[in-house]
Amino acid sequence: MENEAKYYSGTSGLVLPVPNKLSYPPGYQDKSRLAYYGSLFNSIEVNSSFYKVPMAATVRKWAADVPDDFRFTFKLWREITHNKGLVYKPEDVTRFMEVIGQAGEKKGSLLVQFPASITIANRTQMEKLLQDLNRANTAEWDIAVEFRNNTWYRDDIYSMLHGYQMSLVLHDMPKSAPPMLEQDVPFVYLRFHGPGGGYRGSYADEILSEYAGYITEWLEEGKTVYTYFNNTMGDALKNLITLNEYVNNSQAV
């Protein structure tokens, strides 16, 4: 999607380092929470789109509130990914993609998360969804797939994702973390769910330093990297800032 490798990082949902607007810098006190967030970080993983499809006008407003180099990642609506048997309406896929397309040049990645109840037994329906997403992806979003069931981690599934140029999300949920694969796609997607996988806690600096090394290598390979901290009941902001510092220092060397 990008002409050159870029590192995009943020939190899952809008998290700020201050309690309220009175604590914003003077230049942002009359602006939105997102505008202030966009002055600190260059990406966000929008979780609200998982629960409700946003209005097109809302997405346009969000895009207008952030700098040109900011990128939005949207989580696909749960009515598409989380129904029993992965039953969904193809028209919902088209509508969702049209709505998030209002982000324009600030489009980043689309996160497609499957629940633990969706297993390799649902493969046919899962591939149907990937086909529908691929067909509806006229804006060329980087599509990343997150599995929460270990039955998916097989060579034929990796080949399928590669065929669609979709990336397997590298996440750290203890019961369903994928292997650290080398993927022949132009981007990498990292999700940090908390050291114990419970959206809480804080990552040790040595862990973040290790991941900064991986990120630097991917960037040197020309890959775009999306990284989001979902331990928002813990130290997501602190961990994000620390990781960004490590990555920036690595690139400066």
Side-chain angles (χ1 to χ4, degrees):
M1 186 189 70
E2 295 293 327
N3 292 327
E4 59 178 303
K6 288 283 288 183
Y7 170 59
Y8 296 112
S9 62
T11 54
S12 301
L14 206 165
V15 184
L16 290 173
V18 294
N20 53 52
K21 248 185 182 179
L22 295 176
S23 308
Y24 289 12
Y28 287 91
Q29 290 188 355
D30 62 343
K31 292 183 169 60
S32 68
R33 295 176 72 238
L34 178 60
Y36 178 40
Y37 175 97
S39 73
L40 302 171
F41 309 111
N42 70 354
S43 191
I44 188 169
E45 186 182 82
V46 179
N47 273 337
S48 59
S49 57
F50 174 72
Y51 300 101
K52 181 181 179 181
V53 182
M55 294 177 64
T58 301
V59 176
R60 285 194 295 272
K61 182 180 184 306
W62 288 346
D65 271 354
V66 293
D68 289 345
D69 64 350
F70 192 94
R71 295 293 179 268
F72 288 93
T73 282
F74 287 90
K75 188 173 178 181
L76 189 58
W77 190 31
R78 63 182 175 183
E79 288 298 315
I80 297 171
T81 58
H82 279 57
N83 291 328
K84 185 177 180 181
L86 198 52
V87 175
Y88 66 93
K89 299 175 183 175
E91 59 267 29
D92 285 341
V93 174
T94 304
R95 179 167 70 98
F96 189 92
M97 298 305 288
E98 287 174 349
V99 168
I100 67 170
Q102 301 305 306
E105 291 303 308
K106 293 165 187 175
K107 67 182 183 293
S109 186
L110 171 67
L111 171 63
V112 182
Q113 182 199 82
F114 295 110
S117 59
I118 300 299
T119 73
I120 193 71
N122 304 108
R123 174 180 175 154
T124 301
Q125 189 69 359
M126 191 275 283
E127 184 162 17
K128 179 177 180 293
L129 174 55
L130 297 192
Q131 289 171 350
D132 285 341
L133 283 168
N134 196 50
R135 196 175 300 116
N137 189 25
T138 55
E140 298 184 344
W141 292 78
D142 288 334
I143 298 179
V145 178
E146 183 181 65
F147 294 117
R148 292 291 183 88
N149 188 293
N150 288 325
T151 58
W152 292 105
Y153 301 139
R154 306 181 348 182
D155 287 344
D156 57 328
I157 299 301
Y158 306 148
S159 296
M160 180 198 301
L161 292 176
H162 175 260
Y164 291 109
Q165 284 292 280
M166 298 178 185
S167 184
L168 177 70
V169 172
L170 302 177
H171 70 85
D172 60 356
M173 276 296 195
K175 292 182 179 179
S176 57
M180 282 285 281
L181 294 173
E182 278 294 324
Q183 303 182 71
D184 190 16
V185 292
F187 68 101
V188 178
Y189 196 117
L190 290 172
R191 289 190 98 204
F192 293 95
H193 294 299
Y199 313 110
R200 303 176 182 275
S202 185
Y203 289 92
D205 284 359
E206 53 265 32
I207 297 292
L208 298 174
S209 177
E210 180 182 345
Y211 272 95
Y214 300 144
I215 291 167
T216 301
E217 289 177 12
W218 289 321
L219 292 171
E220 288 172 350
E221 291 171 8
K223 296 190 177 191
T224 293
V225 181
Y226 301 94
T227 301
Y228 301 101
F229 284 88
N230 200 17
N231 55 326
T232 51
M233 291 187 285
D235 283 336
L237 275 178
K238 175 176 171 284
N239 294 159
L240 170 61
I241 291 166
T242 300
L243 179 64
N244 287 349
E245 288 174 352
Y246 283 139
V247 172
N248 290 336
N249 289 340
S250 295
Q251 292 182 298
V253 172

